Amino acid sequence: MSKTEYQGWELEHFDNSSNFRKYQNYLLNKHIKGLTAEIGPGNGELLNYYKDKLNNIDLFEPSKTLFDNLKFKFQNQKGITFKNEVFPLSENTYDTILYLDVLEHIEDDKGEIIKAFNSLKPGGKLIVNVPAFQHLYSKFDKDVNHFRRYDKKNFFKLLKNLDYANYQMTYYDSVGYLLSLLSKIFSSDYKKNFNNKIKIWNALIPLSKIIDKLILNLFGKSLFVIIQRK
């Protein structure tokens, strides 16, 4: 299934996970500047954290349902342009481009990365957040239209053809990793008590932040990647 058809039934559960969203914002906020494009912003939950520090934001949301929700939710916010389409190649245009839990929904992820990288201005940053480790791939991933999960090694393969790029990759949410692994091994129905599971995981995010530092981000439920065009 393509990202255009994706409706994001699970988004409300994760959007209500404030500790997780704050952790994501902690990782990305200092890198966002200038003309920014967010690809597949969903319900715009992370947009709430960074919108007031920017003057111009382009939102590309191909899902009509999510696009309409975004326009309604942020209709009074100045500086936001809403685009009900997939992200087009826009060479040397953006200072920051965000793919936050989106790339895993796109079948041609390599082509998407190349397109986004070429749309950056020199010095611009492409910021990507994806689910980590293919061995955690589960029925949940399949049901929400994830083509894959990522580790540093296979993500690096996406970057091999990018000229003049600097990058850094960080795993995070070690507790989330362990909970996902246990769920895959012992739970035959992830939907059972799904909302309660999400609440427990979100409550443990502060612990996850501590453990992440202690283990030097050796592993985690998610992979955070920053690619800078020289």
Side-chain angles (χ1 to χ4, degrees):
M1 184 175 288
S2 70
K3 181 68 174 76
T4 305
E5 298 165 324
Y6 172 63
Q7 296 299 313
W9 63 265
E10 82 286 6
L11 279 176
E12 62 178 284
H13 296 286
F14 291 98
D15 285 345
N16 290 330
S17 301
S18 58
N19 289 334
F20 175 63
R21 291 306 189 198
K22 288 176 182 177
Y23 196 178
Q24 284 188 312
N25 180 63
Y26 166 78
L27 293 171
L28 70 89
N29 193 273
K30 62 183 178 182
H31 298 286
I32 301 175
K33 66 176 183 178
L35 178 57
T36 296
E38 183 173 355
I39 318 307
N43 291 319
E45 189 60 31
L46 278 167
L47 178 63
N48 281 315
Y49 289 93
Y50 71 80
K51 60 182 175 62
D52 291 332
K53 66 179 288 186
L54 300 173
N55 294 321
N56 294 286
I57 305 168
D58 291 344
L59 301 179
F60 293 86
E61 179 49 69
S63 164
K64 186 63 166 62
T65 300
L66 296 176
F67 173 78
D68 290 341
N69 289 343
L70 279 171
K71 286 198 72 174
F72 178 77
K73 187 174 181 179
F74 297 102
Q75 59 185 318
N76 296 322
Q77 179 72 33
K78 294 181 179 179
I80 295 181
T81 301
F82 303 91
K83 298 177 183 289
N84 185 205
E85 58 184 285
V86 298
F87 182 60
L89 175 64
S90 308
E91 292 191 6
N92 302 307
T93 299
Y94 290 100
D95 299 289
T96 311
I97 300 177
L98 307 174
Y99 284 77
L100 306 175
D101 301 303
V102 169
L103 193 65
E104 63 273 17
H105 296 280
I106 300 174
E107 188 167 11
D108 182 14
D109 54 349
K110 183 176 181 180
E112 193 72 19
I113 286 289
I114 292 172
K115 176 177 65 176
F117 181 78
N118 288 332
S119 297
L120 290 171
K121 297 175 183 177
K125 291 182 179 180
L126 171 58
I127 302 174
V128 182
N129 191 89
V130 288
F133 296 110
Q134 187 64 20
H135 61 256
L136 292 181
Y137 192 93
S138 65
K139 190 175 186 302
F140 170 79
D141 290 286
K142 183 178 180 180
D143 287 351
V144 299
N145 307 315
H146 289 177
F147 284 100
R148 67 199 74 79
R149 300 176 72 96
Y150 295 84
D151 57 36
K152 291 181 179 180
K153 183 177 180 179
N154 61 30
F155 203 100
F156 176 73
K157 292 179 181 178
L158 300 180
L159 309 181
K160 287 179 67 174
N161 295 323
L162 300 184
D163 295 326
Y164 309 110
N166 293 321
Y167 63 89
Q168 62 187 70
M169 303 184 194
T170 306
Y171 293 120
Y172 72 99
D173 188 13
S174 48
V175 171
Y177 171 92
L178 296 172
L179 292 175
S180 296
L181 185 60
L182 290 172
S183 178
K184 182 174 181 178
I185 295 172
F186 296 109
S187 178
S188 59
D189 181 9
Y190 74 84
K191 290 185 178 180
K192 186 176 181 180
N193 298 317
F194 183 76
N195 192 46
N196 288 334
K197 292 175 183 175
I198 293 293
K199 288 181 178 179
I200 292 170
W201 161 69
N202 182 60
L204 292 172
I205 289 292
L207 175 62
S208 206
K209 290 180 70 175
I210 295 171
I211 295 175
D212 289 350
K213 291 181 179 180
L214 292 174
I215 66 172
L216 302 178
N217 297 92
L218 183 63
F219 61 87
K221 180 174 177 286
S222 297
L223 176 64
F224 185 76
V225 182
I226 299 172
I227 308 155
Q228 184 170 30
R229 187 172 186 177
K230 294 182 182 179

